[in-house]
Amino acid sequence: MSHLQYLAFCGGGSGGHLIPAIAVAEELLAENPNTRFLFMTSDRPIDRHIIATSGLPTRSIDHVALPLRTSTRRLFFAWQCMRSVLHCRRDFQRRRPDIVIGLGGFASIAGVVAGWMSGIPVVLLEQNTVPGRANRWLQRLAATTFTGWPLEAKWRGTWRTPVVDVGVPLRRVFSDGKITSGPPATHLPSVARLLVLGGSQGAARLNALVVDTLTNHTFGDRNLQVVHQTGLDDQDRVRNAYRQAGITADVHAFIDDMPRQLTKSTLVISRSGAVALAEIAATGRASVLFPLSASADDHQLRNAEFFAACGAAVIVCEQDSDAPLRLTEHLRHLLAIGNASTSSQENADFPGGSGNCDQFTGAAHAPRAAMESAARSLAPGNAAAAIVKSLLRLTDRIGHASE
């Protein structure tokens, strides 16, 4: 089986796009330390931060978001895309990648199209149950689509390229045996560690709702310790609010050591991006999920419903008027001393099946231990290794066909 020498990863705009790419790159380096990469990302700060902390090389490409309405901005989008495609093709002519990997997001379009036009094999990574618009457009150009969480039947049945279910690729630290998916590291019954993940791009509405709830309510006799990822824009405001309320809180714009923070947590409050859910599952943590209401095609709500249907989480819809009350009820239940004990009656109270947001938002009666067990059952295997094996087989087939 041949080695892959040089790969181009195209896409970005969020941690959900780039972290799976980092995971695949790490696995490729474990297979062949001489492998080199080109990352063609967006110019967003989160992309620069993730790539910089990974130690892998990158270069930004120009891109703009597709306007939702017909306007002159659509013409500008088309012109910008064509310009970016030409830039990518010039990069590929200087050194031809063995494979181009599309990561999703509008930043992936130029690189994937340029790869296809250059006759380079293209594969796509799609992590969500509802595929993004960029991958829906690009599917016809790809040899394979690797999926994280299972595609909804509506999309799986109409997808134009072979779909391979591998799970969400996570960084090697999640599969190297150094983290635990067992009980939280904090065993003191009087202490509860709450991890709040506001999204890698920030989540002002979620941040405000959580801070308001924690500063205006009590949660039994437990000493509450908070670790809160806010995104760049909200860090100072959130830190000051906790300080004024006398709450012990460790506030970060971005959390780089996510495995450690998840392992130490008692409970997680999070958006429901595909990678966040996979990391929560890998560490076996119960969670309260706040799907981003503005996410494209409600894909975060669909992800959260899948998790809740399996008994691994409860959902709070941030746009609901009673969201603060529901969050308070969930926290009081799930942080209660003795909650980790299980009973068949409590387990029976948790709903299964699929449905809409309202179906799951009231499900506060499952014991935390049952939710942790359900989360562990959803933990992805070594998806990055599976992808690398498939990529090697793909290049072997192409090599044999060209002989």
Side-chain angles (χ1 to χ4, degrees), residues 19-21 23-24 125 127 147-148 166-171 275 278 380-384 387:
I19 288 174
V24 173
L125 303 187
Q127 311 307 329
T147 59
V166 293
V168 177
L170 297 180
R171 292 162 292 178
V275 171
N382 194 339
I387 290 172

Side-chain angles (χ1 to χ4, degrees), residues 118-190:
S118 303
I120 301 169
V122 171
V123 301
L124 303 178
L125 303 187
E126 176 55 61
Q127 311 307 329
N128 297 293
T129 60
V130 176
R133 281 185 289 173
N135 276 349
R136 298 205 299 262
W137 293 345
L138 297 171
Q139 58 175 298
R140 294 172 179 81
L141 310 185
T144 305
T145 300
F146 297 102
T147 59
W149 298 110
L151 284 183
E152 289 186 350
K154 167 187 175 182
W155 297 106
R156 180 177 290 273
T158 59
W159 206 251
R160 299 293 185 90
T161 188
V163 173
V164 180
D165 296 319
V166 293
V168 177
L170 297 180
R171 292 162 292 178
R172 289 178 67 85
V173 67
F174 281 97
S175 59
D176 63 6
K178 295 181 181 178
I179 65 167
T180 175
S181 61
T186 299
H187 295 292
L188 294 176
S190 60

Side-chain angles (χ1 to χ4, degrees), residues 189-271:
S190 60
V191 177
R193 293 181 61 92
L194 182 65
L195 177 61
V196 184
L197 303 177
S200 59
Q201 298 180 68
R205 193 169 184 177
L206 172 60
N207 292 339
L209 197 155
V210 171
V211 169
D212 181 68
T213 299
L214 296 182
T215 56
N216 288 289
H217 299 277
T218 59
F219 301 95
D221 297 328
R222 303 192 80 173
N223 177 21
L224 188 62
Q225 298 177 355
V226 180
V227 177
H228 194 139
Q229 175 180 273
T230 63
L232 282 173
D233 296 335
D234 256 4
Q235 185 177 14
D236 291 339
R237 184 188 66 80
V238 170
R239 181 182 288 121
N240 291 334
Y242 283 131
R243 184 182 297 120
Q244 292 171 9
I247 294 176
T248 301
D250 191 7
V251 179
H252 304 266
F254 305 116
I255 293 176
D256 295 321
D257 189 8
M258 192 62 72
R260 178 173 173 269
Q261 294 297 347
L262 282 165
T263 299
K264 292 172 62 177
S265 67
T266 307
L267 181 69
V268 181
I269 298 175
S270 179
R271 291 299 192 190

Side-chain angles (χ1 to χ4, degrees), residues 371-390:
M371 296 173 68
E372 291 168 351
S373 178
R376 285 192 290 274
S377 73
L378 297 173
N382 194 339
I387 290 172
V388 169
K389 288 180 182 178
S390 293

